Amino acid sequence: MRSNYLFTSESVSEGHPDKVADQISDALVDYFIGKDPEARVACETLVTTQRIVIGGEIRCRPVYDDERFKDTHGWAPGARDEIEQIVRHVVQRIGYEQDGFHWQTAIFENYLHGQSAHIAQGVDASGNKDEGAGDQGIMFGFACDETPDLMPATLHYSHKILERMAADRRSGAAPFLEPDAKSQVTLRFEDGKPAAAAVVVVSTQHGRGYDEGDKEAELHAYVKRVVADVIPAELLSDDTQYHINPTGSFEIGGPDGDAGLTGRKIIVDTYGGAAPHGGGAFSGKDPTKVDRSAAYVTRYLAKNVVAAGFARRCTIQLSYAIGVAEPLSLYVDLHGTEANGISAARLEEVLPTLVRLTPKGIRTHLGLNKPIYSPTAAYGHFGRKPEGDLFSWEKTDLVDALKAAV
């Protein structure tokens, strides 16, 4: 593993069009799971100029009943209206009240329908058959000791810059900001550890009149203050390069400036490119989909391995087949950073004894059959503070059992 290098990660704000789509999809996952903890949801969202389109498959008994589909389309009274209200509320909360995308006036189209019986038969438990995975695929989890949350530092700071700017926009501390924004942080690593911030890139949507008076200078000064508050002072210097709205004016943004789709920011959602990705998106999917639940449990296991002091970096992979309960493989990579005599092979033996890695076992251990997903849909699914039922996969409550087992 190289010791000295530059590495970069990016983040996008809650107002980025792809993240608008993710937040709508996950708000609907929460809606259906709130009605039925065993609901099946695969909800995709498209947003563009003054238009919001949702589609996909659901199974939620209080809301939609496949047996009645031909006669009534299966919708419980008021469900379609509730869904539209939820979607518009998400857009309102994000802050879009613009001519090109407005929470009240955007055209809304709903193409959700019942889940395929052929998918359901592979997932449902029956007789002696345990509940199977919702699809085939590979999932990765990762942790490293670069930040207190055991996340890659480049992604951590990229997220924090945009979170701070969104908070300032909402509080009125930065009234010139609009919802759409992107950030990118490049760190110089020495001996494998963050040593300096080499480049910071921030592009943010803003109100009218950017080219008037000192508004451009005001925005640049504001972004640099945010960066100074977020990135530790010892990493910043006169050599740090800044690129703030490098193309100039950024007035037209969000879905009016570019279409957004669910699941297009999977690297932003995970580890900023510092670890492999299985390719499956998370948002819009209920936890029977191992794209989501297995990615959460691999993060949980990797984080506990690093928190236990067994390695400075840990990557874990799981693989599944549709309709099959047990994972097909478990792989652990400690990247040459193992400590305390622990090997990856030993962890591969121990980890499945601590958490049952079937879809149902994962959901039960992490408490995933709850409406907990909306907060995951912006600023990353990992590196977040666990709070009650939220972000249970970020807990390090497995450390003592892990130490005892190995």
Side-chain angles (χ1 to χ4, degrees):
M1 187 171 66
R2 290 176 60 192
S3 297
N4 301 322
Y5 53 91
L6 294 173
F7 193 78
T8 304
S9 295
E10 71 156 345
S11 180
V12 298
S13 73
E14 64 211 58
H16 186 281
D18 292 330
K19 280 286 136 198
V20 174
D22 284 344
Q23 289 166 91
I24 290 171
S25 291
D26 270 343
L28 294 176
V29 171
D30 283 348
Y31 168 74
F32 290 117
I33 290 182
K35 297 281 188 182
D36 175 7
E38 301 300 323
R40 302 286 168 76
V41 187
C43 176
E44 309 293 341
T45 301
L46 162 70
V47 292
T48 186
T49 302
Q50 277 295 77
R51 190 174 295 270
I52 305 164
V53 182
I54 63 171
E57 299 187 328
I58 62 169
R59 189 179 77 187
C60 181
R61 288 179 179 86
V63 175
Y64 190 103
D65 182 343
D66 289 328
E67 293 177 0
R68 298 184 296 132
F69 178 72
K70 291 182 180 179
D71 296 328
T72 66
H73 295 281
W75 292 99
R80 281 191 177 273
D81 291 338
E82 283 187 74
I83 289 167
E84 181 171 352
Q85 288 168 11
I86 289 166
V87 170
R88 292 191 184 279
H89 175 71
V90 170
V91 177
Q92 180 186 26
R93 177 184 53 77
I94 293 168
Y96 277 112
E97 297 185 348
Q98 302 168 1
D99 291 341
F101 195 68
H102 197 294
W103 67 273
Q104 285 180 308
T105 57
I107 297 168
F108 174 69
E109 300 175 54
N110 180 351
Y111 298 104
L112 291 173
H113 58 82
Q115 184 186 43
S116 162
H118 291 171
I119 292 177
Q121 72 184 359
V123 178
D124 291 342
S126 61
N128 294 324
K129 176 185 174 296
D130 196 0
E131 180 183 296
D135 201 352
Q136 71 175 48
I138 58 175
M139 299 85 206
F140 289 93
F142 178 73
C144 63
D145 64 356
E146 293 174 12
T147 70
D149 292 326
L150 304 184
M151 286 290 286
T154 48
L155 181 63
H156 173 82
Y157 297 133
S158 295
H159 282 326
K160 295 302 179 186
I161 289 169
L162 296 184
E163 285 185 277
R164 166 67 183 278
M165 290 171 62
D168 287 349
R169 172 173 60 84
R170 286 204 176 89
S171 70
F176 44 84
L177 297 179
E178 295 290 344
D180 195 0
K182 302 176 77 171
S183 65
Q184 187 170 286
V185 174
T186 301
L187 296 182
R188 186 182 310 280
F189 286 74
E190 296 177 3
D191 297 325
K193 297 181 180 181
V199 187
V200 178
V201 182
V202 175
S203 294
T204 179
Q205 187 185 13
H206 53 78
R208 297 180 183 277
Y210 180 72
D211 298 325
E212 299 172 5
D214 297 326
K215 289 187 177 180
E216 181 177 358
E218 178 186 7
L219 177 60
H220 283 227
Y222 163 76
V223 170
K224 288 185 177 181
R225 288 196 301 272
V226 169
V227 171
D229 287 343
V230 168
I231 298 180
E234 61 269 22
L235 296 180
L236 296 171
S237 71
D238 292 341
D239 294 328
T240 301
Q241 298 179 38
Y242 294 87
H243 297 279
I244 300 169
N245 281 23
T247 61
S249 182
F250 182 6
E251 186 178 312
I252 300 171
D256 188 28
D258 193 9
L261 294 170
T262 302
R264 283 208 299 196
K265 287 294 176 283
I266 56 178
I267 299 301
V268 171
D269 284 343
T270 53
Y271 307 105
H277 195 293
F282 305 153
S283 291
K285 297 177 181 177
D286 74 80
T288 66
K289 278 71 170 177
V290 283
D291 276 341
R292 182 167 219 157
S293 55
Y296 287 175
V297 83
T298 51
R299 162 63 179 174
Y300 175 66
L301 295 175
K303 186 173 183 179
N304 276 271
V305 166
V306 175
F310 293 152
R312 289 182 49 231
R313 299 171 69 85
C314 177
T315 299
I316 295 178
Q317 183 204 53
L318 288 172
S319 68
Y320 291 86
I322 188 169
V324 179
E326 295 291 340
L328 307 183
S329 65
L330 167 65
Y331 167 76
V332 177
D333 185 359
L334 302 179
H335 304 276
T337 68
E338 53 265 46
N340 299 318
I342 302 303
S343 69
R346 179 61 179 149
L347 290 171
E348 288 170 357
E349 295 172 353
V350 166
L351 292 174
T353 69
L354 302 179
V355 180
R356 191 167 183 222
L357 297 174
T358 63
K360 186 174 182 179
I362 294 168
R363 295 203 314 279
T364 301
H365 190 95
L366 296 179
L368 299 182
N369 282 102
K370 299 173 183 176
I372 56 174
Y373 296 103
S374 290
T376 69
Y379 310 116
H381 293 246
F382 309 124
R384 311 289 289 274
K385 297 294 183 186
E387 240 180 82
D389 293 330
L390 299 178
F391 301 104
S392 59
W393 51 92
E394 290 298 312
K395 295 178 180 178
T396 53
D397 56 2
L398 207 62
V399 166
D400 291 341
L402 186 55
K403 287 180 176 179
V406 299

